[in-house]
Amino acid sequence: MSVSTAAADQSVCAPLPVLGRNVTVPLVTGGEVAYAALDYAASAPALQRVWDDVAAYAPYYGSVHRGAGYLSQLSTDLFENARTTVAEFLDCRADDQVVFTRSTTDSLNLLARALPAGCQVFVFETEHHASLLPWQDAAQVTYLNAPRTPRQAVETLERALADRDPYGPALVCVTGASNVTGELWPVRELAAAAHAHGARIVLDAAQLAPHHPVSVRDLDVDWVAFSGHKLYAPFGSGVLAGRADWLREAEPYLAGGGASRKVSRREDGGVAVEWHESAARHEAGSPNVIGAYSIASACKALTEAGWDTLVAREQHLIDRVREGLAEVPEVRILSLFGDDAPRVGVISFVVEGWNSSHFAAALSAEYGIGVRDGLFCAHPLVRTLLGSDPQTQGECGAPEAAPGEKSLNAIRVSFGAGTPDEHVERFVSAVRELVTDGAKWTYRTEDGRCVPAV
Ligand code: PLP
C-alpha cells in the first residue's frame, strides 16, 4: 500500500491549506461570511495535508504492537516511524525517547510523575496552568515572580537556583512562547542557567512548535512537550520527548498492557511485572496510532514548507495586527517583555470601555471572526498584566471598565500557517469599527458567556 502525502501546492507566500477555509457562518446582521479562525493558540485547524495523509492511511488502520496481520504490522511500523519523524522534527539527541501522550498537559503530568525523589521544581508564575500546576504533588515547587525582561527571567532563575540544595535533583519548567502575549522566552539562556546549577529543564513548546523550529540540541533542553491539536494535527495526541533516564527509572505513568514486558504470578499470590524501558513504558493501553501518525504528518508538512518562509509570513501577519491595533487608542496590547520582544502570532489585548466577552461575541456574531476571551488558563500572568483581580467578572453587554478603570479579562487573537491576510485585515477593521460605532446588536449572558440576545 502507499500512504499518499499530498504535495504542498502553496506558493512561497501563500498560507498552507487547512480544513475549514471554505466554511461560512451566519451573521446576526444577516447573510453569511467565510469563517475567520483566529484562535489558533487554542486549537489550530487541521492541515489539509494531515487530513489527506490520515484519510489515505485510514483503510489500512490496524492494531498496534499486537497483531500478526499485515495491517497490524503496517500500523506498528507507521506508529514507530512517527517517533522517528518527531525526533527529527525536534532535532533530538540519539538516545532521547519520544513518548506519545494525549497533549502537552498529559506530557507534563507524565514528567511530574517521573521526577526523582526529592526533586525541586522551579517554574515562573507566568506559565500556562498545564506547566504551572502538575508539580505541586510531586515535588517541592518554587514559583518565580513574573520577570519584565528576558534578562530578568534568567537572573531570577539563577538567583533561585543558587539558593537550592546543590546535591538534589532539580527541574526547571519554562514555556517557549507565551499563550497570552506570544512573546518568546529566552529558552537557551534559561537552559544554560539550569545546567550550570545542576538542574534539568523541560520546554513547554505548545505555542512554540507550531510557529518556530525547535531544536532540542541547539536549545539544550532536556525535554520538550507539545500538542498535536495546536500543530495542525487534531487527532488527540501529544508528545513528550527527551532524556530517557528519568523516564526509564520512573513507575509507568499508567499500568497495563503495552507498558509491561512480562507479567507472572508470585509465590505470595501477587503479580510480578517487568516493565518496558523504552517509551512504551509510559504508553500503556492501545496507542492512538492515528494521533501519532497525524503529528508526524504535520511535522513533515511544516518542515517541507520551510520554516524561513513560515516565520516570515507569520511575522508579516503579526506586524499587520499590531499596527492595526496600535491605530485604535482604546486598545491596549498585553505584554510582559515590551514592544520589541520577538513573538509568535498570539496577541492579547483589552479595549477600554468594553467587556472582553462582549467584544469577542460581537466579533463572532457580526463579523464571523473566532477569537478567545478570558484568562487563557494563565490566571496569574493575565492578572499581572491587567493589574486586576479577575475574581470579579464583568457583566456582559454592559461596558465593564469605564475609561481609566482596569479590565477584568482579555481578548486573544491568534493565527498561524493557515491564516490568509484577509482574516487579519477583517479583524483589524472590525476592531476599529466596533470601537468607533459600537456593536450593532444586543447581547446577554448565558451560562457565563456573552451571546447575541436573539
Ligand atoms: N502550554 C501552553 C503554553 C498552552 O498554550 C497550552 C494550551 O493552550 C498548554 C500548555 C496545554 O495544552 P493542551 O491543552 O493541549 O494540553
Side-chain angles (χ1 to χ4, degrees), residues 99-243:
V99 183
F100 284 113
T101 63
R102 289 180 303 162
S103 60
T104 308
T105 305
D106 202 30
S107 299
L108 295 172
N109 275 272
L110 190 174
L111 188 61
R113 295 270 288 275
L115 298 179
C119 192
Q120 290 174 280
V121 172
F122 296 83
V123 56
F124 286 93
E125 65 175 7
T126 45
E127 291 292 323
H128 186 280
H129 295 169
S131 31
L132 189 73
L133 302 180
W135 320 107
Q136 291 198 100
D137 295 336
Q140 182 204 323
V141 190
T142 303
Y143 294 101
L144 307 171
N145 291 341
R148 296 314 294 228
T149 63
R151 181 72 231 142
Q152 218 178 66
V154 179
E155 287 165 1
T156 304
L157 179 65
E158 274 171 343
R159 262 196 309 278
L161 289 171
D163 287 346
R164 85 179 188 93
D165 161 15
Y167 300 108
L171 178 75
V172 175
C173 177
V174 69
T175 191
S178 165
N179 72 309
V180 177
T181 65
E183 290 161 344
L184 300 183
W185 277 63
V187 177
R188 197 179 289 107
E189 291 79 2
L190 291 167
H195 292 151
H197 289 87
R200 291 188 173 191
I201 184 163
V202 55
L203 170 64
D204 173 350
Q207 300 295 348
L208 185 64
H211 303 275
H212 276 260
V214 174
S215 165
V216 165
R217 280 182 234 237
D218 180 41
L219 295 172
D220 196 18
V221 291
D222 297 283
W223 291 276
V224 174
F226 72 86
S227 301
H229 71 103
K230 296 185 197 291
L231 193 92
Y232 314 102
F235 291 89
S237 267
V239 164
L240 177 68
R243 306 262 180 218

